[in-house]
Every structure is written in structure tokens, then in C-alpha cells.
Amino acid sequence: MTSPAQPDRLTVSVALCTRNGAQFVGEQVRSILAQRPAPLELVVGDDDSSDDTVAIVEATLAEARAADPAVQTELVVRRHRPPLGVVGNFADAMAQCRGDLIALSDQDDVWRPDKLDSLVPLFSADARLQLAHSDARLVDGEGEPLGLTLLDALEATAAERSGLSEGDAFAVLLRRNLVTGATVVLRRTLLERAAPLPAEWVHDEWLAAVAAAHGPHALRLVPEPLIDYRQHGANEIGARKPTMADRWAKLREPRDGRAPLLAERTRLLAEHLATLGVAPDRVAQARAKHAHEARRRDLPRWQPARIPAIVAGAVSGRYGRYSRGAIDVLRDLVQPAGGRS
């Protein structure tokens, strides 16, 4: 016997974006449909797949409906040719969602059976909450655990985790993003505040930053891993524990790509927040972050000549407030200029 409907429970749409995902998408869709209650709808944005991805999604949903009358999930398929890319695909899929809440989904993960039941009540309990996310268990292509979680792989500190779960997420996210879209549930109304999604940002980073700017109760981390985040070598965006060689290679990436992009991204965020009517101190923080990234962008090309400005930024505390502290101090000291003339 099915349990009676909960009239006060918010409805959920799932935005699932795919591209040649036939190998894993059936397992992911089954895990989505196993949620109770099942989602209102599954919006699939398919980026010009050349395999049977969409057919597998359709067949999996048909099988679930036949097996369990409680599954009344509607299917909406958006086929994109030419492909929109990850950000464009998710933006389009989210725009089609009708639920009160939108859960973002990759094509190759697996949700824990209680994922939505762990996150949806948080929104019912607090109207201020705009976005919730969780940790994730990293697994290999066969679904075997890799022995660490997503936040472990990102080397999230205890202070960062605390800030995201029960403190000031905005201050954490000004330093770096720790919100991964595959774990996210957001209010559909957040899309209106975040639109348009800028091309310079990844969608989950932008949505998290805009949500967190609305106050300490607007974004929340649930520290438990609520999905298996599959790492199989062909992920659009993946995660793994960095080696020392990885860290050094990242520090030595040319400045000409990264530094101007960070400055532009933070400029766009500060300007957007100023239009939303968020607290003035949030706008001021975003502008200070942009000023910090603009200073980093404008550092001299010759590395020794950068030292006075970097020292001044470290002494003033800017690298601690708006970057990853000593890691980014070292990055700015050793990073090559790149090929800009």
C-alpha cells in the first residue's frame, strides 16, 4: 500500500543532462525514480547523442511505471543539435522545469534512495533556503568505492565545511567553489534571481554564489554523501585526490587564461548582486573580491617584479579572505605569464 500524499511537500523536477551516456544512464534514471515520492517530472536535455541514451531513458521510465503505480513521473526530452555544452544544456533543462524545486543530475551517477527525502524537507522547513547540496561518495566505473568523498578530493577544510553547513557560505564561496551540481537541489525561484547564467561561469558555481549572497540561511551543505559520483575517465567534470605532481602542474598553469577569467567572473558577480537588492555588505564583499582578482590579473609578467604586490596582498589579508591563502600566494609567485604579448 502506498503512503498518503503529503500536501505540504514541495514538488521536485529533475534536470538530467546527457551526451552519449548509454553506458550508465539507465542505472541513474532507476535511482531517480526510486525516490519516494518520485519526482514530478524528469527533464532530459540531450546534447546531440549519437548512441541510445534517450531511448534508454524512455524505456527505463516505462519499465518503472509498469512495475510501480507510485511512479507518475512525467518525461520531457529536449534534443539539442548542435550541442549546447554543459552550461547551456543545464540552463535550458532548468528553464523547462515546473516543480517547486529542481534537482540537478549528471548522466553517470547513482542517487542514494533517501537523497530527495534528505534534502526536500529542508526547504519546507525554511523558506529562506535557496540551495542545498551534499557530499558524494566517489566510485569507479564499476561503481566500486574509491575510498574518499567528493569534499575529501576537493580538500575541503573543517572550517570550509562548517561555513557551508552552518555558517557563512558566501565567505567560503568567495574563496573558491565547493558546490558540485550533481549534488544540488534548488528552488526554481532562484533561477529568476540568477538569470541570465553567464557563459564565464559553470552553472552550479553561479547558482551557489547567487544563493549564498542572500544570507547565511540561503545555502546549506548536508555533509552526508547522498550520491555515488562516478569517476570513469570520460567525465565532463570529475574529481580525484590531487597528487603532488597535479598540484605543481596546476600552480604552473599560464596566467593568461586563468587570471583574466577570474577577474571577469567576479566583476559579473558583483554587478549582478548589485541589481538583486541583497544586503549591501554582500555586494561590498563581491566588489572587494573582484578588486583582489583584478590586482592578481594585473601582476607584472616578470615573476620577481610581482613580489611587492603579492606581499602587500598577503599582509593585508586579501589572499586569506578572497583566495586560498598560501596556495594562491605561491601560485602568483611561480605562475608563468603565458603567451600574451
Side-chain angles (χ1 to χ4, degrees):
M1 178 181 296
T2 59
S3 59
Q6 301 176 45
D8 59 342
R9 186 180 176 100
L10 299 169
T11 58
V12 181
S13 297
V14 177
L16 167 64
C17 289
T18 62
R19 178 172 170 83
N20 294 331
Q23 182 178 3
F24 300 118
V25 74
E27 186 178 7
Q28 171 65 323
V29 171
R30 283 190 289 274
S31 77
I32 291 170
L33 299 176
Q35 305 294 307
R36 287 296 177 267
L40 168 73
E41 63 182 353
L42 176 61
V43 178
V44 176
D46 185 72
D47 241 8
D48 197 17
S49 288
S50 57
D51 62 11
D52 296 331
T53 295
V54 174
I56 291 170
V57 172
E58 293 170 337
T60 304
L61 179 56
E63 291 168 3
R65 284 174 172 164
D68 187 351
V71 178
Q72 298 294 321
T73 304
E74 297 180 19
L75 177 63
V76 177
V77 177
R78 304 275 293 177
R79 299 175 187 263
H80 306 300
R81 184 173 300 156
L84 301 180
V86 173
V87 176
N89 197 359
F90 268 106
D92 181 82
M94 289 187 290
Q96 309 306 314
C97 291
R98 297 179 295 117
D100 302 311
L101 306 177
I102 301 171
L104 305 185
S105 173
D106 292 345
Q107 66 186 6
D108 42 15
D109 301 326
V110 178
W111 287 7
R112 210 170 75 177
D114 62 343
K115 170 181 168 141
L116 292 184
D117 202 41
S118 297
L119 296 178
V120 171
L122 302 178
F123 292 88
S124 300
D126 192 343
R128 298 168 297 181
L129 182 63
Q130 298 298 308
L131 184 150
H133 66 115
S134 73
D135 204 350
R137 184 175 70 160
L138 298 190
V139 300
D140 65 15
E142 303 303 317
E144 293 298 319
L146 294 175
L148 73 167
T149 72
L150 175 58
L151 290 177
D152 292 336
L154 294 173
E155 299 180 305
T157 66
E160 287 173 327
R161 296 178 197 230
S162 175
L164 291 171
S165 60
E166 55 194 43
D168 189 354
F170 191 61
V172 174
L173 297 179
L174 283 180
R175 290 190 291 273
R176 62 165 176 152
N177 178 61
L178 287 168
V179 177
T180 298
T183 73
V184 161
V185 175
L186 63 135
R187 287 194 195 272
R188 184 161 50 86
T189 52
L190 175 61
L191 288 179
E192 300 170 8
R193 298 172 184 170
L197 275 61
E200 293 83 357
W201 284 73
V202 181
H203 60 284
D204 49 10
E205 295 178 313
W206 177 258
L207 290 166
V210 173
H214 284 79
H217 302 281
L219 186 146
R220 180 172 172 184
L221 166 68
V222 173
E224 291 79 21
L226 296 181
I227 72 168
D228 281 353
Y229 193 48
R230 198 189 305 263
Q231 306 299 296
H232 51 78
N235 305 73
E236 289 280 356
I237 301 174
R240 65 184 177 89
K241 191 79 169 179
T243 64
M244 288 303 297
D246 293 332
R247 292 188 179 96
W248 181 247
K250 198 150 189 72
L251 289 175
R252 294 285 295 166
E253 289 175 350
R255 293 179 50 77
D256 284 359
R258 185 177 188 273
L261 178 60
L262 286 176
E264 177 63 10
R265 281 161 50 108
T266 53
R267 181 189 67 82
L268 291 168
L269 178 64
E271 290 184 354
H272 187 77
L273 296 184
T275 70
L276 293 181
V278 301
D281 67 305
R282 300 288 166 149
V283 177
Q285 286 178 278
R287 287 174 172 159
K289 163 73 169 177
H290 167 62
H292 171 68
E293 296 298 349
R295 290 187 186 98
R296 297 180 70 197
R297 176 198 61 201
D298 296 337
L299 288 170
R301 294 174 61 76
W302 187 47
Q303 290 152 323
R306 302 174 193 166
I307 294 174
I310 294 171
V311 170
V315 170
S316 72
R318 290 197 303 271
Y319 277 92
R321 287 191 299 273
Y322 304 121
S323 292
R324 295 187 66 190
I327 292 174
D328 279 324
V329 168
L330 179 59
R331 185 196 308 273
D332 286 349
L333 286 169
V334 305
Q335 203 170 32
R340 186 179 59 192
S341 59

